[in-house]
Amino acid sequence: MNCPHCNNPIDEHEATRCLDTWVADVVMGYTTSPGLLWTSRKSDHRVPKYSTEIEEAWEVANALVGMNWKVFIGIDMKDGNYCRLEWHDPFDPKWNQFMARGTNAPLAICRAALKAKSK
Ligand SMILES: [Zn+2]
């Protein structure tokens, strides 16, 4: 899956406002205006900085938990920050799993969320 705005693949997409907008649309379910950083949500219409601010990335993690995903976020010495998502389909014995890494935790969370929601 590639970014609908800049065509970068998920794992190569940097932490930019372009990625924030992609997450707002695909994961958070907002309708962003093309080319603008505004969403359809009521209280604050600015697209949150999901890919750079941990507080805002946590909104993404919470949204995934609300969709019954198990969210694992961590850091390891070798490869840095990661986010792993798992979801069990009750009608299918196998677990769906998505994993992403990033130079910071918010980026890893955004990449994993996009993988899970873009499949
Ligand atoms: Zn992009």
Side-chain angles (χ1 to χ4, degrees):
M1 182 76 179
N2 290 5
C3 177
H5 313 291
C6 67
N7 208 36
N8 275 317
I10 292 172
D11 281 324
E12 293 171 25
H13 205 301
E14 295 300 324
T16 61
R17 299 299 276 149
C18 184
L19 187 66
D20 295 337
T21 305
W22 190 10
V23 170
D25 284 331
V26 171
V27 181
M28 304 303 283
Y30 298 134
T31 304
T32 57
S33 306
L36 297 173
L37 295 170
W38 303 98
T39 72
S40 54
R41 75 178 184 173
K42 292 193 178 83
S43 55
D44 174 4
H45 296 284
R46 196 180 50 80
V47 171
K49 294 179 177 173
Y50 296 124
S51 63
T52 52
E53 303 295 325
I54 191 68
E55 251 181 86
E56 316 225 333
W58 219 252
E59 286 180 31
V60 176
N62 273 315
L64 290 162
V65 169
M67 297 173 218
N68 291 323
W69 286 91
K70 290 179 184 290
V71 181
F72 303 89
I73 299 161
I75 306 171
D76 59 42
M77 293 290 282
K78 190 170 152 248
D79 295 313
N81 302 276
Y82 65 86
C83 178
R84 191 176 79 245
L85 303 174
E86 293 178 355
W87 181 72
H88 185 253
D89 180 344
F91 302 106
D92 182 346
K94 80 174 171 56
W95 284 80
N96 294 287
Q97 185 172 304
F98 297 92
M99 170 89 171
R101 293 187 176 276
T103 49
N104 60 36
L107 179 58
I109 292 166
C110 287
R111 285 175 172 170
L114 285 168
K115 286 182 182 182
K117 298 299 289 177
S118 300
K119 65 175 183 126

